[in-house]
Amino acid sequence: NAGSLADEREYSFVVKDMAPVTLIVHAKAKDGGDDLGQAEVAVKAKPFDVKIGEPRLMGPPPQVWDPKKGGLVEVPRAIGVNRDFSVKVSVNPPPADASALRYQWMVSPEGCVIMSPASQETRCNARSAGSYSLQVVVRNAEGGELGVGTREVRVVASDDPAKVNNAAAKLAEA
């Protein structure tokens, strides 16, 4: 795009994705059009910092039997099977038009459902215990990839006290 200068010697462009772009400038004389030469430079866009926040449990945390206390105790920061939790992605630096961002959430392995795979914040629900890898790809309105964020989420089986107690101990160590 022609720049804002009156002599139009300044140009701007938007890099579509993270692939390098080679810019080539041809210089010609104002009078006569003689070729003055050319120069080229490779430009690569700086990726945005894409981070997935801590999972947030929807509802009360799972409970496990504590033999020392003789009753159920809550397991903070634990996510139980078949319990909804939410995660939200942040993009830094914030783009000028954050409403133009597009999100694509994925999870592996199978067994965890993403309820809003195209939104900034999504709810998830795992059908079985285990470790799940959440990934989100953030794109601009033109479809260019701005960055990728990943986060591991551990889901504990709230119906198996031994597994929950073991997971709770691991969480407490973290």
Side-chain angles (χ1 to χ4, degrees):
N1 298 333
S4 59
L5 299 175
D7 60 9
E8 296 187 358
R9 288 191 277 177
E10 182 178 307
Y11 293 85
S12 65
F13 62 96
V14 175
V15 178
K16 181 178 178 182
D17 53 28
M18 303 316 300
V21 175
T22 301
L23 300 174
I24 302 172
V25 177
H26 294 272
K28 294 193 175 213
K30 198 171 192 178
D31 294 328
D34 291 341
D35 189 0
L36 300 175
Q38 75 177 37
E40 65 180 68
V41 64
V43 176
K44 185 175 179 183
K46 182 179 175 187
F48 284 82
D49 185 28
V50 176
K51 292 193 183 205
I52 299 173
E54 286 286 330
R56 196 181 77 219
L57 186 62
M58 312 291 277
Q63 295 182 332
V64 296
W65 180 260
D66 185 343
K68 292 178 183 175
K69 293 188 177 184
L72 292 173
V73 295
E74 290 185 349
V75 182
R77 299 188 318 158
I79 298 170
V81 170
N82 295 319
R83 300 289 303 275
D84 287 355
F85 63 95
S86 68
V87 286
K88 185 175 182 178
V89 64
S90 63
V91 179
N92 287 306
D97 184 9
S99 67
L101 296 179
R102 306 292 180 256
Y103 306 95
Q104 179 184 6
W105 288 90
M106 296 162 279
V107 64
S108 65
E110 290 184 13
C112 185
V113 177
I114 296 175
M115 297 177 196
S116 302
S119 64
Q120 182 181 12
E121 183 171 9
T122 188
R123 282 185 19 217
C124 304
N125 187 305
R127 295 184 302 254
S128 58
S131 183
Y132 295 91
S133 177
L134 292 172
Q135 181 182 55
V136 63
V137 178
V138 180
R139 300 180 188 280
N140 60 22
E142 292 79 32
E145 186 176 302
L146 300 179
V148 177
T150 58
R151 175 173 282 285
E152 291 293 318
V153 175
R154 292 183 192 262
V155 176
V156 297
S158 55
D159 59 347
D160 183 344
K163 287 183 181 177
V164 174
N165 284 333
N166 187 25
K170 287 181 182 177
L171 283 172
E173 293 171 4

